[in-house]
């Protein structure tokens, strides 16, 4: 195959993945082991996926590449033996070990991502406690009252590991108080155990909670460079900073990792020779879990509290007879990616200039975690023993998404543990469950909040946010957009023109509002008249083959007419004109004369253009100045005048809990929800919390949400949002 043919084949497979079609359903099959192995990568890396296949084929290292929705789905695809291998973190290995497919999948880690500095090291890093040599301490109980230096809140060696191990040893006490959140119980325990400390970072993603916690447990900020801020950057934070805090700022014990101890004291590290420093290792000791002390020098073996396993590549039982071939393939791919400094080398293989792919004896993911004493660190439930945050949903797609989040979030220390249930078939069923105390959390449209507060004792705690172009309260303007060069000057001028919609039924800005406005202006009598009002449309999600799909194009990237036709008008990312950005692309490509979408897509257009030109100086995309808004009262207006010239204002979705809960309980639910969204909004490759799910748009959360934010007493639009909901007949 030529490079172009390979790329086309890959995009075709990617498109099928976007549509939720399995490899088996698509007619593709995993190549025979020993010849071409198939790597699964998250959708967000589909461009890198194509490049990797092309690069590897040209260089004689053929590899097949298929996308899953995210790494979570890739693990399941490996388990179902639809693909051969996926790159994983220890937390992903935990998911595999606890997957219902684990027994039949026979997952195993066959290659590890190690550092070039320590390619023979068994673990990625080892956690240690370091003390002054003369400190009068002979057991772990002697830590009480000491001044403690940590890498940062939520981090492994400076937070998770000492909490896990000290709790198991009975040193951290009163860590399970049910009236406090999991995070606060841990902070309380540290604050009670140590007289002072330095524990920088974001103690809660909610600003108000973060501020309160740092004020309440301020002694854990006392040894920091800036105690009043207690956040990064701080010279007494991080692996080396914790040692600096110990040596130069009054600390008595520091929690860090071995490699940084060696660097700090000028000792050799792996293949790197010693680099002398001004620090004297003879003045310090490793403090061991059994209470003993070990000198710090080039000859002694440090006593460790736990270790973080290496990242690696995980496969299934079908490759058992071809492990060596797979390892050779992965090693060669790593070398090729490094030579080219390829994006796929970084994003798909999780490698960079300091790391290398190293073959390792196959090991079960659970055993890989147990050997490093890291399994209990992942499963740590300190502060939240027995606690569950119960979510209520009313659709199968939302239930699947919620359960996936629950499993993934637990592996990455979100507490309390999430539990998901489908109750009834509509929003009211979940609101009744909330009122009756059968659930803790429900996601509803903003227009339903006021009624839920009055009738179901609902308490709004968190809301969706959409980035630039939305208000502080997550509101978004639904707008009609035309090219600046267009002769259209009013809604009546749209008759006989072509329309681009960000979505179909259920899409507020792309369909619900424009249909309502056209009816309100007497331009159509019913929704059915839209087909005749416009000459042709692209409304992704409408019936394929209808006039409402006439202007859609399917997967532009696929150089295959069959693939394009199969994906045309799909309500997923496979349709190039789906969503706000897609509606603008439809307009820009002259496939339409007007685009109906949310203002956020316009506002983020210039941001995308700036990002694109960073990597391609010759790229010339559209800018907001190329468009104008079509006003419902007639005439046009610049984009900046959206407050006057919009079709409607859409409220965000809001997460409700029960007003009957205590302030601490509501705070705990807020913290856990924000912690999960903060992680996955930044790392959609791990779990696609925001975006279509299994081909279903707006499942649980809105597809175009960028994250979640906390709600406070300043939010005052509940009545306005209810009026909007009633006006437009929203669910």
């Amino acid at each position: 195959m030529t490079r172009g043919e390979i790329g086309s084949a890959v995009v075709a497979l990617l498109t099928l993945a976007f549509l939720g079609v399995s490899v088996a359903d698509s007619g593709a099959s995993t190549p025979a082991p020993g010849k071409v192995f198939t790597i699964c990568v998250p959708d967000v890396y589909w461009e890198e996926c194509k490049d990797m296949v092309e690069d590897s084929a040209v260089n004689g290292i053929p590899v097949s590449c298929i996308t899953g929705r995210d790494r979570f789905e890739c693990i399941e695809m490996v388990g179902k033996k639809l693909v051969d291998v996926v790159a994983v973190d220890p937390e992903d290995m935990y998911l595999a070990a606890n997957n219902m497919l684990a027994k039949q999948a026979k997952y195993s880690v066959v290659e590890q991502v190690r550092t070039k500095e320590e390619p023979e090291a068994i673990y990625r890093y080892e956690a240690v406690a370091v003390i002054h040599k003369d400190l009068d301490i002979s057991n772990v109980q002697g830590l009480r009252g000491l001044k403690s230096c940590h890498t940062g809140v939520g981090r492994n060696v400076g937070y998770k590991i000492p909490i896990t191990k000290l709790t198991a040893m009975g040193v951290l006490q009163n860590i399970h108080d049910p009236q406090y959140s999991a995070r606060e119980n841990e902070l309380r325990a540290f604050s009670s155990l140590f007289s002072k400390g330095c524990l920088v970072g974001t103690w809660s993603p909610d600003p108000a909670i973060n501020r309160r916690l740092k004020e309440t447990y301020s002694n854990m900020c006392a040894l920091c460079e800036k105690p009043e801020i207690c956040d990064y950057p701080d010279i007494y934070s991080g692996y080396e900073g914790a040692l600096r805090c110990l040596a130069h700022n009054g600390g008595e014990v520091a929690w860090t990792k071995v490699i940084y101890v060696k660097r700090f004291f000028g000792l050799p590290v792996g293949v790197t020779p010693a680099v002398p420093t001004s620090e004297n290792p003879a003045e310090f000791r490793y403090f061991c879990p059994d209470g003993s002390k070990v000198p710090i020098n080039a000859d002694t073996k440090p006593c460790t509290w736990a270790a973080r396993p290496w990242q690696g590549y995980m496969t299934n039982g079908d490759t058992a007879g071809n492990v060596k071939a797979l390892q050779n393939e992965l090693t060669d791919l790593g070398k090729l990616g490094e030579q080219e400094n390829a994006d796929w080398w970084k994003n798909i293989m999780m490698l960079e200039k300091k790391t290398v792919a190293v073959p390792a004896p196959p090991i079960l993911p659970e055993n890989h975690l147990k050997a490093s004493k890291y399994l209990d660190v992942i499963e740590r439930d300190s502060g939240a023993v027995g606690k569950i945050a119960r979510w209520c949903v009313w659709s199968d797609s939302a239930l699947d998404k919620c359960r996936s989040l629950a499993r993934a979030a637990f592996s990455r220390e979100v507490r309390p543990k999430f539990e998901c249930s489908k109750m009834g078939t509509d929003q009211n069923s979940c609101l009744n469950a909330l009122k009756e105390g059968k659930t803790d959390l429900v996601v509803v449209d903003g227009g339903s909040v006021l009624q839920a507060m009055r009738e179901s004792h609902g308490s709004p705690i968190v809301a969706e946010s959409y980035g630039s172009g939305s208000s502080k309260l997550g509101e978004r303007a639904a707008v009609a957009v035309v090219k600046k060069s267009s002769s259209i000057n009013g809604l009546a001028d749209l008759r006989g023109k072509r329309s681009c919609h960000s979505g179909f039924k259920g899409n507020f800005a792309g369909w619900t509002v424009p249909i309502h406005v056209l009816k309100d202006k007497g331009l159509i009598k019913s929704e059915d008249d839209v087909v005749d009002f416009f000459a042709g449309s692209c409304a992704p999600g409408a019936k394929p083959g209808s006039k409402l799909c006439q202007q859609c194009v399917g997967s532009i990237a696929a150089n295959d007419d069959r693939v394009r036709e199969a994906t045309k008008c799909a309500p997923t990312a496979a349709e190039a004109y789906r969503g706000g950005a897609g509606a603008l692309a439809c307009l820009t490509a002259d496939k339409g004369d007007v685009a109906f979408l949310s203002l956020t897509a316009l506002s983020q257009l210039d941001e995308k253009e700036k990002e694109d030109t960073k990597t391609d100086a010759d790229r010339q995309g559209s800018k907001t100045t190329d468009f104008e808004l079509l006003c419902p009262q007639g005439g046009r207006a610049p984009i900046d005048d959206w407050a006057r010239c919009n079709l409607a204002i859409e409220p965000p979705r809001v997460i409700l809990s029960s007003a009957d809960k205590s302030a601490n309980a509501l705070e705990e639910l807020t913290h856990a929800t924000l912690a999960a969204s903060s992680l996955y909004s930044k790392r959609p490759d791990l779990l696609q919390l925001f975006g279509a799910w299994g081909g279903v748009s707006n499942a649980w959360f809105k597809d175009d949400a960028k994250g979640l934010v906390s709600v406070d007493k300043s939010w005052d639009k509940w009545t306005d949002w209810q009026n909007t909901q009633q006006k437009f007949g929203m669910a």
Side-chain angles (χ1 to χ4, degrees):
M1 299 179 82
T2 65
R3 290 172 68 92
E5 288 171 337
I6 293 169
S8 298
V10 172
V11 173
L13 287 171
L14 289 169
T15 302
L16 291 167
F18 276 130
L19 286 171
V21 180
S22 74
V23 181
D25 292 337
S26 73
S29 60
T30 302
K35 294 183 179 180
V36 179
F37 293 99
T38 305
I39 297 178
C40 186
V41 304
D43 279 342
V44 293
Y45 297 138
W46 75 275
E47 282 286 356
E48 290 91 334
C49 177
K50 185 178 79 170
D51 292 342
M52 181 173 73
V53 172
E54 293 179 352
D55 290 346
S56 63
V58 169
N59 286 275
I61 318 170
V63 62
S64 177
C65 183
I66 296 176
T67 61
R69 179 195 60 243
D70 43 39
R71 197 184 293 175
F72 186 94
E73 185 175 54
C74 278
I75 293 169
E76 298 205 329
M77 290 174 71
V78 170
K80 293 175 182 177
K81 302 179 181 178
L82 298 174
V83 290
D84 298 314
V85 64
V86 60
V88 290
D89 293 325
E91 290 75 13
D92 303 311
M93 297 174 196
Y94 178 80
L95 288 176
N98 289 276
N99 193 311
M100 65 178 66
L101 299 169
K103 188 173 182 179
Q104 68 185 61
K106 297 181 180 177
Y107 290 112
S108 64
V109 180
V110 298
E111 184 117 346
Q112 298 176 5
V113 175
R114 296 186 179 178
T115 62
K116 293 176 182 177
E117 192 171 41
E118 295 185 298
E120 301 300 323
I122 299 175
Y123 306 117
R124 179 178 172 184
Y125 56 74
E126 297 175 286
V128 292
V130 181
I131 59 175
H132 295 273
K133 71 167 186 178
D134 296 327
L135 184 67
D136 184 16
I137 183 173
S138 58
N139 55 53
V140 290
Q141 295 295 337
L143 292 170
R144 189 166 305 281
L146 297 187
K147 299 171 184 174
S148 185
C149 305
H150 304 258
T151 53
V153 72
R155 295 177 65 168
N156 280 306
V157 299
Y159 186 84
K160 296 181 188 178
I161 289 174
I163 282 178
T164 302
K165 304 305 179 180
L166 292 176
T167 299
M169 294 174 176
V171 179
L172 285 180
Q173 300 173 353
N174 195 26
I175 199 169
H176 307 310
D177 193 322
Q179 70 172 310
Y180 297 103
S181 69
R183 173 54 59 85
E184 184 163 2
N185 267 322
E186 292 177 343
L187 294 169
R188 287 175 70 246
F190 264 162
S191 179
S192 298
L193 176 64
F194 300 116
S195 59
K196 290 182 179 180
C198 180
L199 182 65
V200 306
T202 302
W203 289 13
S204 173
D206 181 291
I209 298 175
N210 182 59
R211 188 167 50 251
R212 182 188 67 77
L213 290 175
K214 287 184 178 179
E215 290 174 352
T216 305
Y217 310 106
S218 59
N219 66 313
M220 291 308 298
C221 295
L223 294 184
C224 296
E225 177 188 11
K226 299 173 183 176
E228 70 284 0
I229 298 175
C230 200
D231 207 344
Y232 303 102
D234 192 294
I235 62 172
Y236 300 124
S237 69
Y239 302 118
E240 185 176 332
L243 290 166
R244 195 178 295 116
C245 167
L246 173 71
H248 305 294
N249 202 42
E252 294 173 298
V253 59
W255 307 88
T256 186
K257 60 186 185 182
V258 172
I259 191 171
Y260 275 86
V261 174
K262 293 179 177 179
R263 288 176 182 166
F264 189 77
F265 291 113
L267 303 174
V269 178
V271 298
T272 304
V275 178
T277 70
S278 59
E279 306 297 340
N280 183 7
E283 295 298 319
F284 299 88
R285 296 287 187 271
Y286 290 114
F287 178 63
C288 307
D290 63 4
S292 62
K293 303 171 187 177
V294 173
I296 299 175
N297 56 52
D299 301 317
T300 57
K301 178 178 173 58
C303 56
T304 63
W305 289 66
R308 180 166 174 79
W310 294 109
Q311 296 167 295
Y313 306 103
M314 188 170 66
T315 185
N316 54 47
D318 278 7
T319 64
N322 294 275
V323 170
K324 184 65 176 177
L326 176 58
Q327 290 173 331
N328 290 341
E329 186 101 338
L330 293 168
T331 301
D332 289 344
L333 277 173
K335 293 176 181 177
L336 173 63
E338 182 170 18
Q339 290 171 9
E340 300 186 359
N341 193 31
D343 286 339
W344 57 261
W345 172 64
K346 304 168 189 172
N347 295 329
I348 294 177
M349 298 197 71
M350 302 193 302
L351 293 167
E352 45 96 15
K353 63 182 181 180
K354 294 182 179 180
T355 58
V356 62
V358 177
I363 185 171
L364 294 174
E366 184 174 6
N367 291 344
H368 188 56
L369 298 174
K370 285 181 176 178
S372 61
K373 297 184 286 186
Y374 196 69
L375 183 63
D376 62 337
V377 177
I378 291 179
E379 293 182 330
R380 171 180 116 259
D381 209 12
S382 56
V385 175
K387 286 186 178 180
I388 294 175
R390 302 167 298 171
W391 289 87
C392 180
V393 299
W394 54 90
S395 74
D396 290 336
S397 57
L399 180 63
D400 186 58
K401 193 175 198 175
C402 182
R403 285 177 172 171
S404 297
L405 172 67
R407 289 175 53 203
F410 183 82
S411 76
R412 293 183 183 269
E413 78 157 335
V414 174
R415 301 291 186 274
K417 186 175 184 178
F418 293 158
E419 185 178 89
C420 311
S421 298
K422 179 183 174 184
M423 300 182 182
T425 58
D426 57 24
Q427 182 175 284
N428 286 334
S429 300
C430 281
L431 289 176
N432 287 334
L434 184 68
K435 181 179 181 179
E436 295 170 4
K438 296 178 180 178
T439 193
D440 303 307
L441 296 161
V442 183
V443 182
V444 302
D445 290 315
S448 301
V449 173
L450 184 62
Q451 184 176 356
M453 292 168 69
R454 291 172 174 171
E455 299 179 6
S456 303
H457 301 168
S459 176
I461 59 172
V462 172
E464 292 178 336
S465 61
Y466 305 96
S468 59
S470 60
S471 74
K472 291 182 178 179
L473 303 189
E475 300 161 302
R476 294 176 292 165
V479 294
V481 181
V482 295
K483 291 180 181 177
K484 188 171 283 187
S485 58
S486 173
S487 61
I488 297 172
N489 199 49
L491 294 175
D493 296 338
L494 295 178
R495 187 179 298 278
K497 299 297 192 297
R498 302 161 302 166
S499 61
C500 306
H501 304 257
S502 57
F504 190 46
K505 293 183 179 181
N507 188 286
F508 185 85
W511 189 260
T512 303
V513 168
I515 299 308
H516 182 277
V517 172
L518 290 175
K519 287 169 61 179
D520 192 50
K521 297 295 182 182
L523 297 174
I524 60 174
K525 291 183 178 179
S526 71
E527 187 177 55
D528 296 336
D529 294 341
V530 174
V531 176
D532 297 320
F533 181 77
F534 292 114
S537 303
C538 178
K543 185 178 180 180
S546 69
K547 270 183 72 177
L548 292 176
C549 290
Q550 180 178 299
Q551 301 305 110
C552 295
V553 292
S555 175
I556 293 178
N559 193 19
D560 186 314
D561 290 340
R562 292 171 300 174
V563 173
R564 291 188 175 187
E565 192 60 34
T567 56
K568 189 173 182 179
C569 211
T572 69
E575 168 55 60
Y577 293 163
R578 173 186 174 270
L584 280 177
C586 171
L587 179 63
T588 302
D590 200 31
K591 297 287 286 187
D593 303 295
V594 63
F596 298 103
L597 58 141
S598 286
L599 180 71
T600 48
L602 272 169
S603 300
Q604 292 159 19
L605 186 64
D606 288 344
E607 296 175 10
K608 185 177 187 301
E609 170 65 11
K610 290 178 182 177
E611 192 61 34
D612 287 341
T613 53
K614 286 180 184 177
T615 56
D616 187 348
D618 297 324
R619 183 179 179 122
Q620 293 295 322
S622 299
K623 304 178 180 65
T624 53
T625 51
D626 296 335
F627 307 102
E628 286 188 334
L629 303 178
L630 196 61
C631 304
Q633 64 271 29
R636 290 169 27 179
I639 304 301
D640 291 343
D641 200 13
W642 63 268
R644 177 184 66 84
C645 183
N646 68 74
L647 305 183
I649 300 295
E650 179 181 13
R653 283 186 177 172
V654 176
I655 298 175
L656 297 172
S657 188
S658 173
D660 295 332
K661 293 184 179 295
S662 68
N664 281 342
L666 291 175
E667 186 177 278
E668 178 171 48
L669 293 170
T670 300
H671 174 92
T673 303
L674 292 179
S677 73
S678 178
L679 170 61
Y680 295 117
S681 61
K682 296 173 184 173
R683 294 293 307 276
D685 58 308
L686 298 179
L687 184 81
Q688 189 175 285
L689 184 58
F690 306 111
W693 190 272
V696 178
S697 293
N698 301 317
W700 203 23
F701 298 106
K702 290 286 183 70
D703 289 355
D704 51 357
K706 302 296 183 185
L708 301 176
V709 295
S710 55
V711 171
D712 58 37
K713 294 181 180 179
S714 69
W715 289 52
D716 59 359
K717 294 294 187 73
W718 312 121
T719 300
D720 291 346
W721 294 353
Q722 178 174 269
N723 293 338
T724 296
Q725 178 170 287
Q726 293 172 347
K727 178 178 180 179
F728 294 102
M730 298 161 61

